[in-house]
């Protein structure tokens, strides 16, 4: 199958190959996605973030994070297949806060999991990550809808585990929406915590692409601009892990 991605994606290839990460502004990311498929149901797709359940594994700590989760299987540059609902698992090596636990989250609604917008995002990721690693024959793909909420008395923590790796090969972090918040800056570090770069996802379609084995990433806490109003940060996180 012919690669669906066209220029200026070569700049992203170069950045991930050279640095292990790339920050992509919305004016670049949105056309790249549209080259991979349709975003015709984008409004309904983003509205689904209003229907996420709380993360039960963080409730005891008072950190309010809402999320849904889905797993897919993919072969390079072919369709991505939705798999039966299953837990999300990370070892303690990658998540010292919640590692070695099979975490069951609410599944992403089937209509969202099969939506044109999500299918387009997954097609882009499959083409892009497969082109970076042509020897991979199969991928395990996980998709996470996150909403981080902040209040006057408690900052929202997008990455309560701190600066970390996810234990996968590649990560896409795509901003869906941010409302009434300050900060939420994505930071990239070397394994010995030397800072490599930072970028605040500000507009829908702003994104970070990460080669997970090479760098650590985190996000600074978010606080409300107006403490009397609701405040949240919505992102989609997609991870690709090669299956040997």
């Amino acid at each position: 199958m012919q690669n669906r991605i066209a220029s200026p994606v070569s700049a992203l290839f170069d950045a991930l190959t050279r640095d292990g990460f790339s920050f992509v502004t919305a004016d670049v990311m949105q056309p790249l996605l549209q080259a991979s498929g349709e975003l015709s149901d984008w409004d309904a797709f983003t509205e689904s973030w209003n229907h996420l359940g709380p993360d039960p594994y963080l409730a005891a700590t008072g950190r309010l994070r809402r999320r849904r989760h889905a797993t897919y299987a993919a072969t390079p540059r072919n369709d991505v297949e939705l798999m039966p609902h299953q837990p999300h698992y990370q070892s303690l090596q990658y998540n010292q806060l919640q590692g070695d636990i099979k975490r069951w989250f609410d599944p992403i609604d089937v209509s969202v999991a099969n939506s044109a917008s999500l299918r387009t995002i997954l097609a882009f990721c499959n083409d892009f990550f497969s082109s970076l690693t042509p020897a991979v024959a199969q991928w395990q793909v996980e998709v996470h809808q996150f909403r981080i909420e902040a209040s006057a008395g408690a900052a929202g923590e997008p990455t309560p585990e701190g600066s970390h790796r996810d234990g996968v090969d590649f990560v896409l972090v795509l901003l869906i929406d941010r409302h009434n918040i300050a900060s939420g800056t994505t930071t990239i570090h070397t394994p010995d915590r030397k800072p490599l770069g930072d970028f605040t996802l500000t507009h829908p379609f702003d994104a970070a692409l990460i080669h997970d084995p090479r760098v650590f990433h985190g996000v600074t806490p978010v606080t409300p601009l107006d403490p009397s109003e609701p405040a949240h940060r919505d992102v989609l996180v997609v991870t690709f892990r090669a299956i040997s």
Side-chain angles (χ1 to χ4, degrees):
M1 181 180 296
Q2 185 177 1
N3 192 332
R4 291 188 292 263
I5 302 178
S7 183
V9 77
S10 59
L12 304 186
F13 276 75
D14 292 344
L16 261 74
T17 301
R18 181 184 65 246
D19 304 322
F21 71 96
S22 179
F23 297 126
V24 192
T25 54
D27 61 316
V28 174
M29 193 69 203
Q30 185 174 355
L32 287 176
L33 292 177
Q34 290 171 322
S36 293
E38 294 185 1
L39 298 172
S40 54
D41 58 1
W42 183 257
D43 288 345
F45 176 63
T46 60
E47 197 277 333
S48 70
W49 264 257
N50 294 321
H51 309 287
L52 307 185
D55 182 339
Y57 300 92
L58 285 177
T61 66
R63 295 163 166 148
L64 190 51
R65 176 167 68 179
R66 299 184 181 276
R67 69 190 295 176
R68 287 182 182 264
H69 170 252
T71 304
Y72 297 77
T75 53
R77 301 187 183 85
N78 288 313
D79 289 339
V80 182
E81 179 184 359
L82 180 65
M83 303 299 289
H85 189 49
Q86 54 194 271
H88 175 55
Y89 178 84
Q90 292 174 298
S91 71
L92 278 171
Q93 176 185 359
Y94 296 108
N95 189 333
Q96 296 187 2
L97 180 64
Q98 298 175 321
D100 287 352
I101 301 171
K102 290 183 177 180
R103 289 181 285 165
W104 287 93
F105 302 108
D106 289 345
I108 293 178
D109 187 90
V110 173
S111 64
V112 177
N114 290 314
S115 65
S117 291
L118 185 51
R119 288 290 180 179
T120 290
I121 293 165
L122 293 175
F124 166 81
C125 289
N126 193 16
D127 282 354
F128 182 71
F129 298 145
S130 296
S131 296
L132 283 166
T133 50
V136 172
Q138 186 175 358
W139 297 104
Q140 181 187 40
V141 181
E142 294 192 60
V143 176
H144 307 260
Q145 292 179 289
F146 286 109
R147 168 168 285 184
I148 305 302
E149 296 178 332
S151 66
E157 297 182 71
T159 52
E161 62 273 73
S163 183
H164 65 284
R165 291 184 294 157
D166 288 338
V168 297
D169 290 280
F170 296 102
V171 182
L172 165 73
V173 183
L174 183 72
L175 185 70
I176 301 300
D177 181 47
R178 54 184 288 149
H179 175 72
N180 188 37
I181 60 167
S183 194
T185 298
T186 299
T187 59
I188 304 293
H189 306 266
T190 63
D192 61 0
R193 299 302 194 268
K194 177 184 177 182
L196 293 174
D198 60 77
F199 178 69
T200 302
L201 305 180
T202 303
H203 302 100
F205 295 105
D206 281 352
L209 294 161
I210 299 165
H211 188 197
D212 192 66
R214 291 180 56 191
V215 297
F216 281 67
H217 63 278
V219 184
T220 60
V222 297
T223 55
L225 294 169
D226 181 346
S228 67
E229 296 290 332
H232 66 254
R233 178 182 186 265
D234 294 349
V235 297
L236 181 77
V237 174
V238 180
T239 65
F240 271 59
R241 183 173 67 87
I243 303 298
S244 53

